[in-house]
Amino acid sequence: MILDAALQKNIISKQLYEVLMVQEPTIPTLYLLPRVHKNASVPPALNRQIITSAMTSGLEFISRRSPIVCTGGCVATSQPLATQIGIDILKKGGNAADAAVAVGAALNVTEPASTGLGGDCFCLFYKADSKKIYALNGSGRCSRALNLELLKQQGFDEVNPLPSTHAHNVTVPGAAAAWVDTVSLFGSKKVSLEEILQPAIGLAESGFPVSEVSAYLWSTAAQKLRSPGNKFGADLLISGQPPQHGQLFRNPSLANTFKALSKHGKKGFYEGRIAEAIVQVVQSNGGLLDLTDLSSHMTEEVEPINTLYKGVKVWEIPPNSQGITALMALNMLENYSIREWGHNSSDYVHTVTEILKRSIADCQWYCADRAVVPVPTEELLSKAYSTKQVKQINMERASQSNNHGNPFETGSDTVYFTVVDVHGNACSFINSNYNDFGTGLVPEGCGFPLQNRGYGFSLSSAHPNSLAPGKRPFHTIIPAMATNAETEDLLCSFGVMGGFMQPQGHVQVLLNMVEFEMNPQQALDVPRFYVEYIKKDQKWHLYLEDGFPENIAEDLKTRGHLVHWPITGHDRKLFGRGQIITKGDWWRSSSDISKVWWAGSDPRGDGCALGYCSVKDCY
């Protein structure tokens, strides 16, 4: 009877109906999702069970995880070894900033394809005693010797862009400086930088077993490490091959790099042996980065940007980061009664997708280095502009336009992790090489690859994000936080890594909590969707993760979306890997949120969330 009603209301497909007729007695009762159809005449508990089964039937990455709940500190990362290291630093007296840097270093060891000292990072830090959020821009700049005219002479322009692995794409690695500055500005002062980096040094020296998703990412990009002129790429291979799942891998060169950083601070990276090795491998492969570019690098303290969404203040890093994309989308979404559509329904996916198209188009035009070109941040985030943008959305038909709006008329791979401590401080942190292993170029004796973040520049002189000497490129990586708009209390620290999926992931997991009352683990578990503009055919493509019913995919096709469904297996990396820590169960009640942390870790990755209890707070 219940399943018949679900089928009639298009809650489940005919195929799934037949499966559930057999499985109904074993449908889990603990893993409950909010109702998909608010007015469905299906008892809420069974409705949730049915939708859960619809979303999880046959999924390779299905997570039957409970959210972590604890009262002391909490860490959520994409690698269990890194999560444990973060917990250890917290228990040693470090705070959220200290633990975040320890996690970042551990991830450099365990997931080198995605992150490391050869890349950039951004940090949001919530200081509990002042209820203020601070932000660090740890992205590096283009070589001062590189410009569009020189590239044109070498045969590269907007029509014939640089290959993604070209050494010209190596911008100054900003992560090392940002790690040191995060500890210096926000750390507890109870643990030294040497103590913070020591666990990662131990992992690199003694070796660690490679986890499954990391092994996959390693294998898909290993060819970069074997490229001509990359003499030391073999340092990240075993006998010329990427390590397999469960195989032990050691990286003594990276351990020595960490030791230099812990002993000498930023000078240990941006001057001396390591800096010389970076310059040597870049210049020997045709790049222009030099010692002055490295020694002059500085992390920038910036004011985070925010918008208000239905009582929740959402915080992002300002441009040159794409965080503004998520905020513009939320401004537009505030004009709708989203909950009435139902989670991942056709109306929901269609409207959110159409809104994301507009915010992405705006961001990809206006987002650039604010120190070099003006970025109309305030205008793009105005509620009046969002209302104007919403008026262009057709609820029955998909748009193929990729034109940016005019706000003045109104007046790929990464790791994300988050840490909170017993004092209520929180750190939302993201670190990236851009594509897997970046350029793949490994400096001699350093143990890490160099990013290809310069690939994010436009080679059009008319574009605000055009390549220029000493300029920061457009950045995909974005950490996020949310606070109570009235009290400024922290609600959650969260992020979803994965190139241009990141702002889309931020919007989806936040709506999962705010609109559909999901806990952090559920918000990460449910299927996601991704929209991308393909220049080759000048059309928007919509990708639906396995777990969406066939009828939803078909309905979206009738509205004009170019739907790719289902996206399965390791191809799910398209939808990113997220981590969330929330303060209490704020998404569903007004119960005491001052003592309990809730956390979730994305089932699409290898990681986990862990926490511990401060016993005195449990009674």
Side-chain angles (χ1 to χ4, degrees), residues 383-595:
K383 298 291 186 179
Y385 180 58
S386 68
T387 301
K388 171 190 168 185
Q389 290 285 78
V390 162
K391 291 178 180 177
Q392 302 178 48
I393 292 174
N394 185 332
M395 287 294 292
E396 301 303 324
R397 196 69 189 163
S399 168
Q400 290 301 334
S401 170
N402 190 36
N403 298 322
H404 64 82
N406 183 358
F408 300 105
E409 292 180 1
T410 64
S412 167
D413 277 83
T414 308
V415 292
Y416 171 79
F417 51 94
T418 180
V419 181
V420 298
D421 61 41
V422 70
H423 306 293
N425 303 305
C427 197
S428 185
F429 207 102
I430 196 158
N431 210 129
S432 175
N433 294 330
Y434 198 19
N435 298 142
D436 288 335
F437 289 120
T439 57
L441 298 175
V442 178
E444 180 179 4
C446 293
F448 60 81
L450 293 169
Q451 65 182 1
N452 61 336
R453 189 54 68 172
Y455 194 59
F457 279 123
S458 169
L459 299 188
S460 167
S461 59
H463 199 290
N465 182 45
S466 63
L467 182 147
K471 186 177 181 180
R472 282 175 161 143
F474 171 91
H475 246 280
T476 56
I477 59 175
I478 50 174
M481 285 184 169
T483 58
N484 183 294
E486 294 182 0
T487 66
E488 300 296 346
D489 288 331
L490 180 71
L491 296 179
C492 68
S493 178
F494 70 103
V496 178
M497 56 70 63
F500 296 99
M501 174 65 198
Q502 292 182 57
Q504 303 184 47
H506 285 200
V507 168
Q508 290 178 55
V509 300
L510 189 71
L511 293 178
N512 289 346
M513 291 185 285
V514 175
E515 296 286 0
F516 301 107
E517 300 180 354
M518 297 187 193
N519 69 48
Q521 189 60 58
Q522 292 169 339
L524 292 168
D525 285 349
V526 295
R528 295 199 278 263
F529 52 91
Y530 171 68
V531 62
E532 180 182 26
Y533 187 76
I534 305 297
K535 290 183 180 179
K536 186 176 181 179
D537 62 8
Q538 296 187 325
K539 293 180 179 179
W540 289 95
H541 292 248
L542 177 60
Y543 302 84
L544 301 180
E545 191 171 16
D546 192 11
F548 274 92
E550 183 179 2
N551 62 312
I552 298 295
E554 292 301 321
D555 191 339
L556 292 166
K557 288 179 183 179
T558 64
R559 302 189 194 205
H561 293 278
L562 298 176
V563 176
H564 302 264
W565 171 89
I567 306 300
T568 63
H570 282 295
D571 288 342
R572 289 170 182 268
K573 70 177 184 177
L574 182 67
F575 304 102
R577 293 171 289 161
Q579 316 293 331
I580 303 174
I581 301 178
T582 72
K583 195 64 180 292
D585 53 347
W586 62 270
W587 60 87
R588 70 179 181 189
S589 72
S590 58
S591 62
D592 183 4
I593 68 168
S594 64
K595 294 181 179 180

Side-chain angles (χ1 to χ4, degrees), residues 204-334:
E205 286 184 328
S206 300
F208 65 96
V210 176
S211 56
E212 184 176 9
V213 174
S214 184
Y216 172 77
L217 297 174
W218 216 312
S219 67
T220 58
Q223 190 57 38
K224 291 183 181 181
L225 303 174
R226 307 186 189 103
S227 62
N230 191 14
K231 297 180 182 178
F232 304 102
D235 290 353
L236 291 170
L237 300 170
I238 300 176
S239 300
Q241 300 299 320
Q244 298 179 8
H245 179 203
Q247 188 172 8
L248 289 174
F249 184 80
R250 295 176 64 250
N251 193 339
S253 295
L254 182 58
N256 290 332
T257 298
F258 287 154
K259 289 176 182 178
L261 185 64
S262 65
K263 183 177 181 180
H264 302 293
K266 287 181 278 188
K267 286 188 175 182
F269 187 91
Y270 295 97
E271 299 177 19
R273 178 188 70 84
I274 296 172
E276 291 168 1
I278 292 171
V279 168
Q280 194 281 327
V281 73
V282 170
Q283 293 190 358
S284 66
N285 283 274
L288 298 176
L289 203 70
D290 61 25
L291 290 174
T292 302
D293 291 321
L294 290 167
S295 63
S296 61
H297 172 75
M298 294 180 63
T299 308
E300 183 182 3
E301 292 185 65
V302 295
E303 284 294 322
I305 55 177
N306 69 80
T307 197
L308 187 63
Y309 181 82
K310 300 184 180 181
V312 177
K313 190 178 286 187
V314 185
W315 299 81
E316 298 275 0
I317 294 281
N320 57 316
S321 158
Q322 67 169 337
I324 195 170
T325 307
L327 301 184
M328 288 189 289
L330 289 170
N331 278 344
M332 287 184 266
L333 285 163
E334 198 173 32

Side-chain angles (χ1 to χ4, degrees), residues 28 30-33 52-53 55-68 519-528 545-546 572 578-579 599-609:
L30 294 176
Y31 185 65
L32 304 181
L33 296 178
T52 298
S53 296
M55 291 177 173
T56 62
S57 179
L59 298 190
E60 179 179 345
F61 287 89
I62 178 56
S63 156
R64 208 343 264 154
R65 303 180 184 178
S66 301
I68 296 298
N519 69 48
Q521 189 60 58
Q522 292 169 339
L524 292 168
D525 285 349
V526 295
R528 295 199 278 263
E545 191 171 16
D546 192 11
R572 289 170 182 268
Q579 316 293 331
S601 182
D602 205 307
R604 298 162 188 83
D606 292 316
C608 66

